[in-house]
Amino acid sequence: MNRVKKIWKFFTSSKKAAVGSLLLLALLVVTAFPTFFAPYDPSAEEYIPRQGPSISHWLGTTAFGQDILSQVIVGTRQSMLIALVVGLFCTILSVLVGVSAAYFGGAIDDFLAMATDVILVIPTFPLIIVITAYAKANNFWLLVLVLVITGWSYGARQLRVQALSFRNRDFLQSAKARGESSWYVIIFEMLPPMTSLIVANFLGAALYAVLAAAALQFVGLGNINTQSWGTMLYWAQNNEALATGMPLWALAPGIAIAVLGTSLALLNYAFDELANPALRPIRTLKLSKLSKLVGNKS
């Protein structure tokens, strides 16, 4: 309970956490009810093509006569789902590999650390392209699987280093002396002090997933017939939106990706500061307190 209060207090006092939370909350609401916010059917090709912004179509229309604003709003769902699902599975895998390697040590640590390092040194995006192109199955879960396979290693490395610093602490030795099982020690003794780092890893993995998924869909390796920000960029690029007077077709999804990325990055920085006090900004003293300090010294 004290840890929850500490996190909540930090959340409310950190501008990064507050702004990131508000942005992410707004996107989650749109994700939950996209059809409520979308003024039109995003797939309907029934409007005048290549319109500029107007009262009827705030961001204009595509080359096919579709409403751009509706596509951005409805596309929020898939982009957010990719971020949340990939972030969750990457975090679970990072925790399993990183913490287990540090706790068990020996040959298990050597093997898991080697597997982590192998994934880390492989160029990620080319590997994603090769796997996706080879599979030749443009569906949501394939995209999630590819991003999880390539996105867990950095978090596992961080968690392993943190867990190694706990391995010989007194509270862990006491749990072992009581006869607690290894998994009990890991789950109930090691993980709670690492909560902020685990959350930060989740946010980092989610940010990676958003950018990587958008890049894959932009080059046509996702399902180009679904509604997402990446597929919007794909169709805008293929129809030369910037060169033919439809800049908002390309800029709107790009801005949406930037907003989501900003919210996740701000929250990630906030939790990094929570996990590492050295990263927290130095609070300036009030003039009265400073004067008091100077007076006491004199």
Side-chain angles (χ1 to χ4, degrees):
M1 186 61 68
N2 290 333
R3 184 173 295 276
V4 173
K5 289 182 179 179
K6 180 181 177 182
I7 292 175
W8 174 252
K9 183 179 179 181
F10 181 78
F11 239 74
T12 53
S13 63
S14 171
K15 293 181 180 178
K16 294 175 184 177
V19 173
S21 299
L22 289 174
L23 290 175
L24 187 60
L25 179 61
L27 290 170
L28 287 172
V29 171
V30 175
T31 299
F33 310 102
T35 55
F36 177 79
F37 294 100
Y40 306 104
D41 180 354
S43 301
E45 300 178 7
E46 55 188 37
Y47 309 107
I48 300 173
R50 305 177 188 277
Q51 285 191 79
S54 64
I55 295 177
S56 300
H57 304 281
W58 290 5
L59 299 181
T61 60
T62 69
F64 307 107
Q66 301 158 318
D67 182 64
I68 294 175
L69 177 60
S70 298
Q71 288 194 340
V72 173
I73 292 174
V74 175
T76 303
R77 170 168 287 182
Q78 186 179 109
S79 300
M80 284 293 293
L81 285 176
I82 288 174
L84 296 176
V85 173
V86 173
L88 176 63
F89 283 111
C90 279
T91 303
I92 292 173
L93 195 55
S94 296
V95 170
L96 286 174
V97 173
V99 178
S100 298
Y103 179 81
F104 292 108
I108 294 177
D109 185 20
D110 293 339
F111 174 76
L112 293 177
M114 182 185 68
T116 302
D117 290 340
V118 168
I119 298 296
L120 277 173
V121 299
I122 296 175
T124 303
F125 195 67
L127 177 62
I128 294 173
I129 292 176
V130 169
I131 294 174
T132 309
Y134 180 77
K136 296 180 180 178
N138 297 326
N139 60 65
F140 175 83
W141 290 109
L142 171 67
L143 186 59
V144 167
L145 178 62
V146 171
L147 294 177
V148 170
I149 290 173
T150 56
W152 62 271
S153 55
Y154 180 74
R157 183 76 173 265
Q158 285 186 315
L159 291 169
R160 176 180 174 273
V161 171
Q162 183 70 22
L164 281 172
S165 67
F166 291 152
R167 190 166 63 180
N168 295 318
R169 296 282 182 90
D170 291 340
F171 67 93
L172 288 187
Q173 297 303 323
S174 298
K176 292 177 182 178
R178 295 196 307 266
E180 304 291 357
S181 66
S182 297
W183 292 113
Y184 177 92
V185 175
I186 290 173
I187 295 172
F188 295 102
E189 299 291 343
M190 292 187 73
L191 293 186
M194 300 169 64
T195 301
S196 55
L197 181 59
I198 292 171
V199 174
N201 272 286
F202 166 79
L203 295 169
L207 177 58
Y208 152 78
V210 171
L211 299 177
L216 280 176
Q217 291 169 334
F218 174 70
V219 298
L221 290 177
N223 186 350
I224 60 175
N225 295 314
T226 59
Q227 291 294 337
S228 72
W229 297 334
T231 56
M232 283 188 68
L233 291 171
Y234 170 82
W235 288 112
Q237 187 270 338
N238 274 267
N239 288 274
E240 300 181 346
L242 295 177
T244 55
M246 298 178 292
L248 290 177
W249 193 5
L251 292 177
I255 292 172
I257 293 171
V259 169
L260 176 55
T262 299
S263 69
L264 294 173
L266 288 173
L267 287 171
N268 196 3
Y269 293 147
F271 275 97
D272 276 344
E273 291 174 4
L274 183 62
N276 186 358
L279 297 176
R280 299 177 192 174
I282 299 174
R283 309 293 182 187
T284 56
L285 293 173
K286 292 182 178 179
L287 184 60
S288 59
K289 291 184 177 181
L290 184 60
S291 301
K292 187 176 180 179
L293 282 172
V294 174
N296 289 337
K297 287 184 178 181
S298 61

